[in-house]
Amino acid sequence: MEQMIKSFLRGFLVGIGFILALYLCSKITLFGINGSIKEFSTSIGEMFINFGK
């Protein structure tokens, strides 16, 4: 039971970190190209949503 709770918390924290990293990347422009990282992260998000259906 304790191992399951630890595993769940670890997965939850990894998910929060992933979302936070995508948010930070959407605010940063890469080599002066505005929006390219934001579009990439949006497409990844849509892929996960479609995968979950």
Side-chain angles (χ1 to χ4, degrees), residues 4-50:
M4 186 176 78
I5 293 171
K6 285 182 181 179
S7 176
F8 176 76
L9 287 176
R10 185 176 299 137
F12 183 73
L13 290 175
V14 167
I16 294 295
F18 183 72
I19 292 170
L20 187 62
L22 286 180
Y23 175 75
L24 289 176
C25 285
S26 71
K27 297 296 181 184
I28 299 170
T29 57
L30 183 63
F31 303 120
I33 302 170
N34 193 9
S36 62
I37 298 176
K38 188 174 183 179
E39 292 173 4
F40 177 70
S41 61
T42 303
S43 68
I44 290 178
E46 289 176 0
M47 180 186 70
F48 281 127
I49 291 171
N50 289 333

